[in-house]
Amino acid sequence: MTYGQLENDLRTLFCLMANIDFQTGMRIWSAMEFRPQRDVLQSLSVLKLDGNPMQGEFGRVIGEVKKANNTRNKLSHWSWAKDANTEEMIWISIDNRTGFKVRFEEKTYNSLVEDINQIGRARTAVRALTEKIKPEVDAWHEKHRESYPEAPGHEAG
């Protein structure tokens, strides 16, 4: 399981919600950082799942994705060191943006496996959510197809 697989599933969800083909969606999606991606998905869910009980599940799944993204950022960007006293691995985060802060977090093999599993659970949740909401979102698009405005200079007729 890689975070890249989760990102791919999020792109698929985005394409469904935005009603666009995968290649177009991939180009738009890859131009955004995680926070705007998350905000766009949440905004689309408010529009397309308004009043649907699945909207709450959508928010819960996006929360899982946010946790997985935070974990991925730690795995990718924090420094690693070995504690000379305990022989345990530790993460070291140095933050200069809001004053100089150094944080340490012990890591064990089991905790790393749990981090990877957390990312995997988020991916499973995104895939399941996409399948659950697809009929609802497709129905929303079909219902609103007539209300899509024509682009200026491309009027029908």
Side-chain angles (χ1 to χ4, degrees), residues 107-115 117:
K107 293 308 290 178
T108 64
Y109 174 80
N110 289 338
S111 68
L112 287 172
V113 169
E114 177 52 32
D115 291 338
N117 289 338

Side-chain angles (χ1 to χ4, degrees), residues 94-101:
I94 301 170
D95 185 356
N96 285 325
R97 289 174 289 185
T98 57
F100 189 75
K101 290 187 254 178

Side-chain angles (χ1 to χ4, degrees), residues 1-9 72 116 119-120 123:
M1 169 67 234
T2 66
Y3 190 80
Q5 291 169 310
L6 173 57
E7 288 177 317
N8 187 58
D9 292 332
R72 177 247 177 231
I116 293 165
I119 293 169
R123 181 181 188 216

Side-chain angles (χ1 to χ4, degrees), residues 3 8 43 53 57-58 94 97 99 118 125-126 133 136 148 151 154:
Y3 190 80
N8 187 58
S43 179
E57 171 132 358
F58 196 100
I94 301 170
R97 289 174 289 185
Q118 176 194 34
V126 168
I133 66 171
E136 299 288 333
Y148 294 159
H154 293 90

Side-chain angles (χ1 to χ4, degrees), residues 1 8 10 21 26 34 38-39 47 49 65 74 85 94-95 102-103 107 115 123-124 129 141 143 154:
M1 169 67 234
N8 187 58
L10 288 167
D21 66 275
M26 184 172 44
F34 176 74
R38 185 189 67 208
D39 292 347
L47 175 65
L49 298 173
V65 170
K74 284 182 180 181
N85 297 322
I94 301 170
D95 185 356
V102 178
R103 293 185 299 168
K107 293 308 290 178
D115 291 338
R123 181 181 188 216
T124 299
L129 176 70
H141 289 138
K143 179 180 176 185
H154 293 90

Side-chain angles (χ1 to χ4, degrees), residues 19 24 39-40 46-47 55 60 88-89 91-92 102 105 108 113-114 128 141-142:
N19 196 30
T24 303
D39 292 347
V40 165
V46 169
L47 175 65
Q55 191 174 2
R60 183 190 63 74
E88 293 291 330
M89 293 299 294
W91 278 342
I92 305 167
V102 178
E105 194 174 312
T108 64
V113 169
E114 177 52 32
H141 289 138
E142 189 58 37

Side-chain angles (χ1 to χ4, degrees), residues 9-109:
D9 292 332
L10 288 167
R11 277 190 298 269
T12 299
L13 177 59
F14 168 68
C15 290
L16 169 68
M17 298 300 289
N19 196 30
I20 55 177
D21 66 275
F22 191 76
Q23 285 199 19
T24 303
M26 184 172 44
R27 284 166 172 77
I28 295 168
W29 190 255
S30 65
M32 294 186 288
E33 297 290 327
F34 176 74
R35 183 173 289 162
Q37 290 173 343
R38 185 189 67 208
D39 292 347
V40 165
L41 283 174
Q42 288 177 321
S43 179
L44 288 169
S45 80
V46 169
L47 175 65
K48 311 243 170 130
L49 298 173
D50 186 35
N52 187 310
M54 290 306 302
Q55 191 174 2
E57 171 132 358
F58 196 100
R60 183 190 63 74
V61 169
I62 296 303
E64 285 185 47
V65 170
K66 181 179 178 187
K67 288 178 190 173
N69 183 65
N70 289 341
T71 297
R72 177 247 177 231
N73 285 341
K74 284 182 180 181
L75 289 168
S76 298
H77 300 295
W78 285 29
S79 298
W80 291 83
K82 188 174 185 180
D83 186 310
N85 297 322
T86 66
E87 296 292 310
E88 293 291 330
M89 293 299 294
I90 56 173
W91 278 342
I92 305 167
S93 170
I94 301 170
D95 185 356
N96 285 325
R97 289 174 289 185
T98 57
F100 189 75
K101 290 187 254 178
V102 178
R103 293 185 299 168
F104 297 93
E105 194 174 312
E106 274 195 32
K107 293 308 290 178
T108 64
Y109 174 80

